[in-house]
Amino acid sequence: MREISITELKNLKIGQAENAQAGTGCTVFLLGENGAPAGLDVRGGGPASRESELLKPMAAAQVIHAILLGGGSAFGLDAAGGVMRYLEERGIGFDVGVTKVPLVCQSDLFDLTVGDAHTRPDAAMAYQACVNAETGNYRDGNYGAGTGATVGKVLGMAHCMKSGIGSYAVQVGALQVGAVVAVNALGDIYDWRTGRKAAGLLADDGKTFLDAEEAVLGQLEPAGEKFVGNTTIGAVFTNAQFDKAHLCKIAAMAHDGYARAIRPVHTANDGDSIYAVSLGQLAADQDVVGTLAARVMAEAILRAVQAADSAYGFPAAKDLAQ
């Protein structure tokens, strides 16, 4: 097994655009002229998503043409229109005779309390992300959908840390599996190999950690309407060939990566979602790919917090390490 760049996977273009001042952005994955099979597994209680029904095995569409991860919560779901315009202009989509309709799925995280609550990813920003994908501008850290990402919010924004977007990919023989994830979790982030906490809930001194899981367990009284201000959204990609039913299972297995790296995870306050995409024709075992998907996802989560820079008054992991 060797590490590769997420940008080495064929039939995948990644572009990012953001408004750093406003603290929000988006990341687009363009899946080739003919699209690609994809699945989705949602484990959080409060997702903001678009066209997710397309990825259910019973739905007619066998491929989609792009995935968009963004900030802005439900407001940001308008951004997919920019991806559709970009693809339609290039003749990419489902042929309906009079035009081609691009199939674009989207998931958003909540970053409205980070920068400017009234500036969200829109169609123009997503279109620019597509343009940026032509040459490829993907970077881990405070970019794209990770621009306004934070973690460790059990006790509110005063105790959280800056996070971002992260990636990790591996190759085993001819098989390639990679992940990209925007980490905006309620809980703490751990190094999945060592169990060491990397980022999360801060004490009043802003330098030492509290335990987010213990904080949740201390809130025994039933809450009314919970504030859904979190959500970790990601995608796994492989050059192996699968249909969307098998990809839904691979996406489900990739959630084990969330569980290894985030605690607590999959709460009612999160909208945790993972896409899985088949980019190639390689024959591979579903369970092998799913097991690798969990591993690369856990590492991508760690790298998201390691690559993040402090911003908007929130410290990053690299600050605490100094």
Side-chain angles (χ1 to χ4, degrees):
M1 183 184 300
R2 66 181 179 89
E3 181 179 353
I4 61 174
S5 169
I6 191 68
T7 59
E8 291 184 45
L9 277 77
K10 295 181 180 179
N11 301 318
L12 174 66
K13 294 181 179 179
I14 309 175
Q16 303 197 112
E18 59 277 322
N19 183 325
Q21 183 176 359
T24 195
C26 60
T27 301
V28 69
F29 306 98
L30 302 179
L31 306 179
E33 291 186 5
N34 298 318
L40 172 66
D41 192 274
V42 179
R43 298 288 174 94
S49 57
R50 178 187 186 276
E51 292 278 47
S52 54
E53 288 289 321
L54 288 176
L55 302 183
K56 290 186 176 180
M58 291 183 293
Q62 296 303 305
V63 300
I64 61 172
H65 302 95
I67 295 170
L68 185 65
L69 305 181
S73 189
F75 291 112
L77 294 174
D78 288 342
V83 182
M84 292 189 69
R85 179 166 66 89
Y86 175 89
L87 294 174
E88 185 188 23
E89 288 173 355
R90 287 153 181 81
I92 297 173
F94 181 74
D95 194 344
V96 294
V98 292
T99 188
K100 290 185 178 179
V101 180
L103 303 181
V104 180
C105 295
Q106 180 177 355
S107 290
D108 284 353
L109 55 78
F110 186 100
D111 54 13
L112 301 180
T113 54
V114 170
D116 178 5
H118 300 289
T119 299
R120 304 107 181 198
D122 57 12
M125 181 185 286
Y127 188 96
Q128 184 60 51
C130 293
V131 172
N132 293 340
E134 294 173 5
T135 53
N137 73 333
Y138 179 79
R139 286 191 289 175
D140 291 348
N142 296 20
Y143 304 101
T147 303
T150 51
V151 295
K153 291 170 277 189
V154 176
L155 300 181
M157 298 299 287
H159 293 270
C160 74
M161 289 180 64
K162 186 70 183 71
S163 180
I165 195 167
S167 64
Y168 183 65
V170 298
Q171 181 161 337
V172 183
L175 175 65
Q176 297 176 327
V177 182
V180 178
V181 60
V183 182
N184 194 57
L186 175 80
D188 296 327
I189 309 303
Y190 291 83
D191 183 326
W192 63 281
R193 289 186 175 90
T194 66
R196 180 188 62 83
K197 187 179 296 186
L201 181 64
L202 292 173
D204 290 337
D205 62 10
K207 299 178 181 179
T208 56
F209 289 121
L210 298 176
D211 190 304
E213 197 166 45
E214 290 298 322
V216 167
L217 294 176
Q219 300 170 354
L220 297 180
E221 293 298 319
E225 281 297 315
K226 291 190 174 182
F227 173 63
V228 185
N230 309 287
T231 296
T232 297
I233 48 177
V236 295
F237 303 92
T238 181
N239 64 342
Q241 184 174 21
F242 296 103
D243 61 22
K244 63 179 176 177
H246 291 93
L247 289 164
C248 285
K249 178 59 177 174
I250 291 169
M253 293 180 72
H255 272 285
D256 290 349
Y258 277 21
R260 292 172 191 171
I262 306 171
R263 295 203 299 267
V265 70
H266 300 145
T267 73
N269 292 357
D270 294 290
D272 299 331
S273 305
I274 298 178
Y275 297 88
V277 182
S278 173
L279 298 170
Q281 315 281 300
L282 183 74
D285 185 84
Q286 171 187 289
D287 291 334
V288 171
V289 174
T291 299
L292 285 172
R295 177 178 292 215
V296 297
M297 183 59 75
E299 182 65 20
I301 290 168
L302 178 62
R303 295 193 178 197
V305 298
Q306 289 174 335
D309 293 309
S310 60
Y312 317 109
F314 304 118
K318 62 180 62 173
D319 300 321
L320 298 188
Q322 293 176 356

Short mmCIF file of all heavy atoms in Angstrom, two decimals, residues 142-187:
data_model
loop_
_atom_site.label_atom_id
_atom_site.label_comp_id
_atom_site.label_asym_id
_atom_site.label_seq_id
_atom_site.Cartn_x
_atom_site.Cartn_y
_atom_site.Cartn_z
N ASN A 142 -8.12 25.51 4.78
CA ASN A 142 -9.20 26.50 4.80
C ASN A 142 -9.62 26.89 3.39
O ASN A 142 -9.52 28.06 2.99
CB ASN A 142 -8.75 27.76 5.55
CG ASN A 142 -8.45 27.52 7.01
OD1 ASN A 142 -8.21 26.40 7.42
ND2 ASN A 142 -8.43 28.58 7.80
N TYR A 143 -10.08 25.91 2.64
CA TYR A 143 -10.44 26.15 1.24
C TYR A 143 -11.76 25.44 0.93
O TYR A 143 -12.16 24.50 1.63
CB TYR A 143 -9.34 25.64 0.31
CG TYR A 143 -7.99 26.24 0.59
CD1 TYR A 143 -7.04 25.52 1.30
CD2 TYR A 143 -7.68 27.53 0.19
CE1 TYR A 143 -5.79 26.07 1.59
CE2 TYR A 143 -6.44 28.10 0.47
CZ TYR A 143 -5.50 27.36 1.17
OH TYR A 143 -4.29 27.93 1.47
N GLY A 144 -12.41 25.91 -0.13
CA GLY A 144 -13.63 25.25 -0.57
C GLY A 144 -14.63 25.08 0.55
O GLY A 144 -14.89 26.01 1.34
N ALA A 145 -15.21 23.88 0.61
CA ALA A 145 -16.22 23.60 1.63
C ALA A 145 -15.67 23.66 3.04
O ALA A 145 -16.43 23.75 4.00
CB ALA A 145 -16.83 22.23 1.36
N GLY A 146 -14.35 23.62 3.18
CA GLY A 146 -13.74 23.67 4.52
C GLY A 146 -13.44 25.07 5.02
O GLY A 146 -12.93 25.23 6.13
N THR A 147 -13.76 26.09 4.23
CA THR A 147 -13.38 27.46 4.59
C THR A 147 -13.91 27.87 5.97
O THR A 147 -13.19 28.45 6.77
CB THR A 147 -13.89 28.45 3.53
OG1 THR A 147 -13.36 28.08 2.25
CG2 THR A 147 -13.48 29.88 3.86
N GLY A 148 -15.16 27.56 6.24
CA GLY A 148 -15.76 27.94 7.52
C GLY A 148 -15.96 26.79 8.48
O GLY A 148 -16.73 26.91 9.44
N ALA A 149 -15.27 25.67 8.25
CA ALA A 149 -15.47 24.49 9.10
C ALA A 149 -14.83 24.65 10.47
O ALA A 149 -13.73 25.19 10.61
CB ALA A 149 -14.89 23.26 8.41
N THR A 150 -15.53 24.18 11.50
CA THR A 150 -15.04 24.19 12.87
C THR A 150 -15.42 22.87 13.54
O THR A 150 -16.30 22.15 13.07
CB THR A 150 -15.64 25.36 13.68
OG1 THR A 150 -17.07 25.35 13.54
CG2 THR A 150 -15.10 26.71 13.21
N VAL A 151 -14.75 22.56 14.65
CA VAL A 151 -15.02 21.32 15.38
C VAL A 151 -15.05 21.58 16.88
O VAL A 151 -14.54 22.59 17.36
CB VAL A 151 -13.96 20.24 15.07
CG1 VAL A 151 -14.02 19.82 13.61
CG2 VAL A 151 -12.56 20.71 15.44
N GLY A 152 -15.67 20.66 17.62
CA GLY A 152 -15.70 20.76 19.08
C GLY A 152 -16.70 21.80 19.58
O GLY A 152 -16.36 22.67 20.38
N LYS A 153 -17.97 21.68 19.14
CA LYS A 153 -18.96 22.73 19.42
C LYS A 153 -20.02 22.33 20.43
O LYS A 153 -21.09 22.94 20.48
CB LYS A 153 -19.60 23.16 18.09
CG LYS A 153 -18.63 23.90 17.19
CD LYS A 153 -19.16 24.10 15.79
CE LYS A 153 -18.93 22.88 14.94
NZ LYS A 153 -19.25 23.11 13.52
N VAL A 154 -19.73 21.32 21.23
CA VAL A 154 -20.71 20.85 22.22
C VAL A 154 -21.12 21.97 23.17
O VAL A 154 -22.29 22.08 23.54
CB VAL A 154 -20.14 19.66 23.01
CG1 VAL A 154 -21.10 19.23 24.11
CG2 VAL A 154 -19.84 18.49 22.08
N LEU A 155 -20.18 22.81 23.55
CA LEU A 155 -20.46 23.90 24.49
C LEU A 155 -20.55 25.25 23.79
O LEU A 155 -20.44 26.30 24.44
CB LEU A 155 -19.37 23.94 25.57
CG LEU A 155 -19.23 22.67 26.42
CD1 LEU A 155 -18.13 22.84 27.46
CD2 LEU A 155 -20.55 22.31 27.09
N GLY A 156 -20.77 25.25 22.48
CA GLY A 156 -20.92 26.49 21.75
C GLY A 156 -19.65 26.91 21.04
O GLY A 156 -18.57 26.34 21.22
N MET A 157 -19.77 27.95 20.23
CA MET A 157 -18.67 28.40 19.39
C MET A 157 -17.50 28.97 20.19
O MET A 157 -16.37 29.01 19.70
CB MET A 157 -19.17 29.45 18.40
CG MET A 157 -20.24 28.95 17.42
SD MET A 157 -19.67 27.60 16.35
CE MET A 157 -18.58 28.49 15.24
N ALA A 158 -17.73 29.38 21.42
CA ALA A 158 -16.65 29.95 22.23
C ALA A 158 -15.59 28.93 22.59
O ALA A 158 -14.48 29.29 23.01
CB ALA A 158 -17.23 30.58 23.49
N HIS A 159 -15.91 27.65 22.46
CA HIS A 159 -14.97 26.59 22.86
C HIS A 159 -14.51 25.74 21.68
O HIS A 159 -13.87 24.71 21.89
CB HIS A 159 -15.63 25.69 23.90
CG HIS A 159 -15.89 26.36 25.20
ND1 HIS A 159 -14.98 26.37 26.24
CD2 HIS A 159 -16.95 27.08 25.64
CE1 HIS A 159 -15.48 27.04 27.26
NE2 HIS A 159 -16.68 27.48 26.92
N CYS A 160 -14.79 26.15 20.45
CA CYS A 160 -14.48 25.29 19.31
C CYS A 160 -13.13 25.65 18.69
O CYS A 160 -12.47 26.61 19.09
CB CYS A 160 -15.58 25.36 18.27
SG CYS A 160 -15.62 26.88 17.30
N MET A 161 -12.72 24.88 17.69
CA MET A 161 -11.47 25.09 16.97
C MET A 161 -11.73 25.13 15.48
O MET A 161 -12.72 24.60 14.99
CB MET A 161 -10.47 23.96 17.28
CG MET A 161 -9.91 24.00 18.69
SD MET A 161 -8.73 22.63 18.97
CE MET A 161 -7.44 23.03 17.79
N LYS A 162 -10.79 25.75 14.76
CA LYS A 162 -10.88 25.81 13.30
C LYS A 162 -10.51 24.46 12.69
O LYS A 162 -9.56 23.80 13.13
CB LYS A 162 -9.93 26.88 12.76
CG LYS A 162 -10.07 27.12 11.25
CD LYS A 162 -11.37 27.78 10.91
CE LYS A 162 -11.54 27.93 9.40
NZ LYS A 162 -11.79 26.65 8.72
N SER A 163 -11.28 24.06 11.71
CA SER A 163 -11.02 22.86 10.95
C SER A 163 -10.94 23.23 9.48
O SER A 163 -10.75 24.40 9.14
CB SER A 163 -12.12 21.82 11.22
OG SER A 163 -11.89 20.63 10.51
N GLY A 164 -11.09 22.25 8.59
CA GLY A 164 -11.02 22.55 7.17
C GLY A 164 -11.44 21.35 6.34
O GLY A 164 -12.21 20.50 6.80
N ILE A 165 -10.91 21.28 5.14
CA ILE A 165 -11.15 20.14 4.26
C ILE A 165 -9.87 19.35 4.15
O ILE A 165 -8.77 19.91 4.19
CB ILE A 165 -11.65 20.63 2.87
CG1 ILE A 165 -12.25 19.46 2.07
CG2 ILE A 165 -10.57 21.36 2.10
CD1 ILE A 165 -13.02 19.91 0.83
N GLY A 166 -9.99 18.03 4.05
CA GLY A 166 -8.81 17.18 4.00
C GLY A 166 -8.98 16.05 3.00
O GLY A 166 -10.10 15.68 2.63
N SER A 167 -7.86 15.47 2.59
CA SER A 167 -7.89 14.38 1.63
C SER A 167 -6.82 13.35 1.95
O SER A 167 -5.81 13.65 2.59
CB SER A 167 -7.67 14.91 0.21
OG SER A 167 -6.37 15.47 0.07
N TYR A 168 -7.06 12.13 1.46
CA TYR A 168 -6.06 11.06 1.58
C TYR A 168 -6.45 9.97 0.60
O TYR A 168 -7.64 9.67 0.43
CB TYR A 168 -6.03 10.50 3.01
CG TYR A 168 -4.98 9.44 3.24
CD1 TYR A 168 -3.62 9.75 3.14
CD2 TYR A 168 -5.33 8.14 3.56
CE1 TYR A 168 -2.65 8.79 3.36
CE2 TYR A 168 -4.36 7.16 3.78
CZ TYR A 168 -3.01 7.50 3.68
OH TYR A 168 -2.05 6.55 3.89
N ALA A 169 -5.46 9.40 -0.07
CA ALA A 169 -5.72 8.33 -1.03
C ALA A 169 -4.58 7.34 -1.01
O ALA A 169 -3.43 7.68 -0.71
CB ALA A 169 -5.89 8.91 -2.44
N VAL A 170 -4.90 6.08 -1.33
CA VAL A 170 -3.90 5.01 -1.35
C VAL A 170 -4.08 4.17 -2.61
O VAL A 170 -5.15 4.16 -3.23
CB VAL A 170 -4.00 4.10 -0.11
CG1 VAL A 170 -3.72 4.89 1.16
CG2 VAL A 170 -5.35 3.41 -0.05
N GLN A 171 -3.01 3.44 -2.93
CA GLN A 171 -3.05 2.47 -4.02
C GLN A 171 -2.52 1.14 -3.51
O GLN A 171 -1.46 1.09 -2.88
CB GLN A 171 -2.24 2.96 -5.22
CG GLN A 171 -2.28 2.00 -6.40
CD GLN A 171 -1.89 2.65 -7.71
OE1 GLN A 171 -1.98 3.86 -7.86
NE2 GLN A 171 -1.48 1.84 -8.68
N VAL A 172 -3.27 0.09 -3.79
CA VAL A 172 -2.88 -1.28 -3.44
C VAL A 172 -2.92 -2.09 -4.72
O VAL A 172 -4.01 -2.37 -5.25
CB VAL A 172 -3.82 -1.89 -2.39
CG1 VAL A 172 -3.33 -3.28 -1.99
CG2 VAL A 172 -3.95 -0.99 -1.17
N GLY A 173 -1.77 -2.45 -5.26
CA GLY A 173 -1.75 -3.04 -6.58
C GLY A 173 -2.28 -2.03 -7.58
O GLY A 173 -1.81 -0.90 -7.64
N ALA A 174 -3.29 -2.42 -8.34
CA ALA A 174 -3.90 -1.48 -9.28
C ALA A 174 -5.07 -0.72 -8.67
O ALA A 174 -5.57 0.24 -9.27
CB ALA A 174 -4.38 -2.24 -10.52
N LEU A 175 -5.51 -1.12 -7.50
CA LEU A 175 -6.68 -0.52 -6.87
C LEU A 175 -6.35 0.82 -6.21
O LEU A 175 -5.38 0.92 -5.45
CB LEU A 175 -7.25 -1.47 -5.81
CG LEU A 175 -8.43 -0.96 -4.97
CD1 LEU A 175 -9.65 -0.71 -5.85
CD2 LEU A 175 -8.75 -1.94 -3.85
N GLN A 176 -7.17 1.81 -6.49
CA GLN A 176 -7.03 3.13 -5.88
C GLN A 176 -8.31 3.48 -5.12
O GLN A 176 -9.41 3.27 -5.61
CB GLN A 176 -6.78 4.20 -6.95
CG GLN A 176 -5.48 4.02 -7.72
CD GLN A 176 -5.32 5.04 -8.83
OE1 GLN A 176 -6.30 5.47 -9.44
NE2 GLN A 176 -4.09 5.42 -9.13
N VAL A 177 -8.13 4.01 -3.91
CA VAL A 177 -9.25 4.47 -3.09
C VAL A 177 -8.82 5.76 -2.40
O VAL A 177 -7.74 5.81 -1.79
CB VAL A 177 -9.67 3.43 -2.03
CG1 VAL A 177 -10.88 3.95 -1.23
CG2 VAL A 177 -10.01 2.09 -2.68
N GLY A 178 -9.65 6.79 -2.49
CA GLY A 178 -9.32 8.06 -1.86
C GLY A 178 -10.54 8.72 -1.25
O GLY A 178 -11.68 8.33 -1.55
N ALA A 179 -10.30 9.70 -0.41
CA ALA A 179 -11.39 10.41 0.27
C ALA A 179 -11.09 11.89 0.35
O ALA A 179 -9.92 12.30 0.47
CB ALA A 179 -11.60 9.86 1.68
N VAL A 180 -12.15 12.69 0.28
CA VAL A 180 -12.10 14.13 0.55
C VAL A 180 -13.22 14.42 1.53
O VAL A 180 -14.35 13.96 1.34
CB VAL A 180 -12.29 14.97 -0.73
CG1 VAL A 180 -12.28 16.46 -0.39
CG2 VAL A 180 -11.20 14.64 -1.75
N VAL A 181 -12.93 15.21 2.59
CA VAL A 181 -13.95 15.44 3.62
C VAL A 181 -13.80 16.83 4.20
O VAL A 181 -12.70 17.29 4.49
CB VAL A 181 -13.86 14.36 4.72
CG1 VAL A 181 -12.49 14.36 5.40
CG2 VAL A 181 -14.98 14.51 5.75
N ALA A 182 -14.93 17.52 4.35
CA ALA A 182 -15.00 18.80 5.03
C ALA A 182 -15.49 18.53 6.46
O ALA A 182 -16.61 18.05 6.65
CB ALA A 182 -15.94 19.76 4.31
N VAL A 183 -14.64 18.83 7.43
CA VAL A 183 -14.85 18.37 8.81
C VAL A 183 -15.43 19.51 9.64
O VAL A 183 -14.72 20.45 10.01
CB VAL A 183 -13.54 17.85 9.42
CG1 VAL A 183 -13.78 17.32 10.83
CG2 VAL A 183 -12.94 16.75 8.54
N ASN A 184 -16.70 19.40 9.95
CA ASN A 184 -17.43 20.44 10.67
C ASN A 184 -18.22 19.79 11.80
O ASN A 184 -19.43 19.93 11.90
CB ASN A 184 -18.37 21.17 9.69
CG ASN A 184 -18.91 22.47 10.24
OD1 ASN A 184 -18.15 23.36 10.62
ND2 ASN A 184 -20.22 22.59 10.29
N ALA A 185 -17.51 19.07 12.65
CA ALA A 185 -18.14 18.15 13.60
C ALA A 185 -18.49 18.80 14.93
O ALA A 185 -17.78 19.68 15.42
CB ALA A 185 -17.22 16.96 13.85
N LEU A 186 -19.55 18.30 15.52
CA LEU A 186 -19.88 18.64 16.90
C LEU A 186 -18.79 18.16 17.84
O LEU A 186 -18.43 18.82 18.82
CB LEU A 186 -21.21 17.98 17.28
CG LEU A 186 -21.66 18.14 18.74
CD1 LEU A 186 -22.29 19.50 18.95
CD2 LEU A 186 -22.64 17.03 19.12
N GLY A 187 -18.23 16.99 17.55
CA GLY A 187 -17.33 16.31 18.47
C GLY A 187 -15.86 16.65 18.30
O GLY A 187 -15.47 17.57 17.56
#
